[in-house]
């Protein structure tokens, strides 16, 4: 965790530190303020890097912040910023959405490859997450109609997004290589859902939850206790929300079983994997031998032993 607290700087230096150091740490930004009385500029930023995601909570006084054509020209690889308004009002202006007010309980997404401007009338506080373009598999998202629009955090895809962001905020940096990886990937999937789907619909929310839950399943196959309740707790949503998200397609249990069987089959095809079939099954969360045997035979029309033998004969 890194904290930039301007109260530790000389009053006469505070705005210069904010403008020349902090506002350019991740992407070029140019702040402007009408007047500073006796150097009385205040700001605080708490940074919590996690994998490819930079998490931050920022607070300061009223000002205008520009990421215009000049700043875009000096921007490196493109990123999206997902900003949740925690306090104060931000008037956001983008070329696609025009000027809109974002109030507490709403968030907006901006793209550093396109100009945007923030106008804070008074004291404000924002939670801001950085998402590199390279982390989103979808194409054409920079042209999404949701860019620059105020979006609610209490319903639709916004509820899923903010739930994951809150869970991510609590993760320690060393969790980025272990249990935190699934949440980071789920966050990216949900941002893609926000950018790529019609905002505010139940379908969009379900798609985001399904993507997040499926990513959790994929990275936790070895947990024999993996369940709807476990996933719901990890994503900070209710079990009912998870059940509903899977109600329009394959059920949660079906998705879990299919992922486990696919992972086991891949291990059986691997000539370097000499572990016994039972051990492989248990390693991927299928601890009931008879249930595993039935499920595997139903899926692949042969026993796991025959599947392994056939795969190695064909190699």
């Amino acid at each position: 965790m890194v904290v930039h607290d301007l109260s530790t700087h000389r009053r006469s230096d505070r705005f210069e530190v904010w403008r020349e150091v902090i506002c350019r740490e991740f992407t070029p930004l140019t702040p402007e303020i009408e007047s500073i009385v006796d150097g009385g500029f205040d700001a605080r930023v708490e940074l919590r890097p996690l994998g490819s995601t930079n998490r931050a909570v920022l607070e300061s006084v009223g000002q205008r912040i520009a990421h215009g054509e000049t700043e875009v020209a000096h921007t490196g690889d493109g990123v999206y910023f997902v900003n949740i308004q925690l306090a104060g009002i931000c008037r956001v202006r983008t070329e696609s959405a025009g000027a809109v007010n974002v109030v507490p309980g709403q968030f907006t997404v901006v793209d550093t490859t396109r100009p945007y401007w923030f106008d804070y009338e008074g004291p404000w506080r924002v939670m801001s997450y950085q998402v590199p373009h390279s982390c989103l598999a979808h194409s054409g998202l920079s042209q999404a109609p949701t860019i620059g629009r105020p979006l609610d955090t209490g319903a639709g895809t916004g509820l899923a997004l903010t739930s994951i962001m809150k869970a991510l905020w609590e993760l320690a940096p060393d969790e980025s290589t272990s249990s935190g990886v699934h949440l980071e990937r789920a966050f990216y999937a949900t941002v893609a859902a926000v950018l790529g789907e019609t905002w505010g619909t139940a379908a969009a929310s379900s798609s985001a939850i399904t993507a997040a839950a499926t990513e959790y399943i994929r990275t936790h196959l070895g947990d024999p206790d993996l369940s709807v309740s476990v996933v719901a707790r990890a994503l900070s949503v209710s079990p009912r929300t998870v059940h509903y998200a899977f109600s329009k397609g394959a059920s949660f249990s079906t998705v879990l079983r299919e992922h486990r069987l696919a992972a086991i089959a891949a291990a059986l095809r691997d000539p370097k994997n000499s572990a016994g079939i039972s051990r492989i099954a248990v390693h991927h969360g299928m601890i009931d031998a008879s249930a595993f045997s039935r499920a595997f035979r139903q899926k692949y029309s042969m026993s796991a032993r025959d599947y392994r033998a056939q795969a190695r004969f064909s190699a």
Side-chain angles (χ1 to χ4, degrees), residues 105-168:
Q106 294 182 320
F107 72 97
T108 190
V109 182
V110 293
D111 179 4
T112 61
T113 65
R114 301 164 67 184
Y116 57 84
W117 296 264
F118 298 150
D119 190 350
Y120 297 99
E121 297 180 358
W124 54 274
R125 190 166 184 259
V126 168
M127 174 178 281
S128 180
Y129 280 32
Q130 175 182 299
V131 182
H133 283 197
S134 59
C135 292
L136 301 185
H138 299 63
S139 61
L141 293 181
S142 62
Q143 303 300 319
T146 48
I147 292 287
R149 288 180 53 195
L151 309 171
D152 291 331
T153 61
T157 317
L159 177 60
L161 183 68
T162 52
S163 295
I164 296 173
M165 289 174 71
K166 290 176 182 177
L168 271 173

Side-chain angles (χ1 to χ4, degrees), residues 11-296:
R11 294 176 66 86
S12 59
D13 294 339
R14 291 178 186 176
F15 183 70
E16 184 177 359
V17 172
W18 174 254
R19 181 184 60 203
E20 301 299 331
V21 179
I22 298 175
C23 284
R24 296 181 178 274
E25 184 158 357
F26 299 116
T27 192
L29 296 170
T30 301
E32 297 178 1
I33 193 166
E34 290 185 0
S35 62
I36 302 176
V37 180
D38 297 327
F41 181 86
D42 292 315
R44 185 181 186 277
V45 180
E46 182 176 338
L47 302 172
R48 298 184 181 183
L50 182 71
S52 299
T53 303
N54 282 308
R55 306 166 292 172
V57 170
L58 309 90
E59 54 187 295
S60 188
V61 296
Q63 61 193 275
R64 291 179 296 276
I65 300 177
H67 182 77
E69 295 290 353
T70 300
E71 289 79 13
V72 169
H74 290 87
T75 297
D77 295 336
V79 302
Y80 299 103
F81 280 105
V82 182
N83 296 334
I84 300 178
Q85 197 71 24
L86 302 177
I89 298 175
C90 179
R91 189 163 181 80
V92 178
R93 181 164 63 91
T94 60
E95 293 178 332
S96 58
V100 296
N101 286 335
V102 181
V103 302
Q106 294 182 320
F107 72 97
T108 190
V109 182
V110 293
D111 179 4
T112 61
T113 65
R114 301 164 67 184
Y116 57 84
W117 296 264
F118 298 150
D119 190 350
Y120 297 99
E121 297 180 358
W124 54 274
R125 190 166 184 259
V126 168
M127 174 178 281
S128 180
Y129 280 32
Q130 175 182 299
V131 182
H133 283 197
S134 59
C135 292
L136 301 185
H138 299 63
S139 61
L141 293 181
S142 62
Q143 303 300 319
T146 48
I147 292 287
R149 288 180 53 195
L151 309 171
D152 291 331
T153 61
T157 317
L159 177 60
L161 183 68
T162 52
S163 295
I164 296 173
M165 289 174 71
K166 290 176 182 177
L168 271 173
W169 182 254
E170 300 302 324
L171 292 180
D174 58 1
E175 292 182 276
S176 61
T177 57
S178 54
S179 61
V181 172
H182 77 278
L183 275 177
E184 188 180 21
R185 291 175 177 170
F187 174 55
Y188 296 153
T190 312
V191 171
V194 168
L195 295 175
E197 299 186 39
T198 302
W199 169 250
T201 65
S205 177
S206 293
S207 176
I209 292 293
T210 302
T214 301
E215 182 59 34
Y216 189 99
I217 288 171
R218 193 185 68 79
T219 55
H220 288 75
L221 295 177
D223 180 1
D225 297 321
L226 190 57
S227 65
V228 167
S229 296
V230 169
V231 172
R233 186 163 56 250
L235 300 183
S236 299
V237 297
S238 70
R240 183 178 180 179
T241 298
V242 177
H243 276 301
Y244 179 79
F246 283 90
S247 66
K248 302 301 181 182
S251 67
F252 178 91
S253 60
T254 297
V255 172
L256 174 58
R257 183 179 66 250
E258 292 297 303
H259 274 74
R260 280 176 166 160
L261 290 174
I264 292 169
L268 294 176
R269 293 193 303 270
D270 184 358
K272 297 180 180 179
N273 192 332
S274 60
I277 293 175
S278 295
R279 172 177 282 187
I280 291 174
V282 169
H283 177 74
H284 291 92
M286 302 196 78
I287 59 176
D288 185 325
S290 59
F292 159 67
S293 180
R294 288 194 303 271
F296 194 94

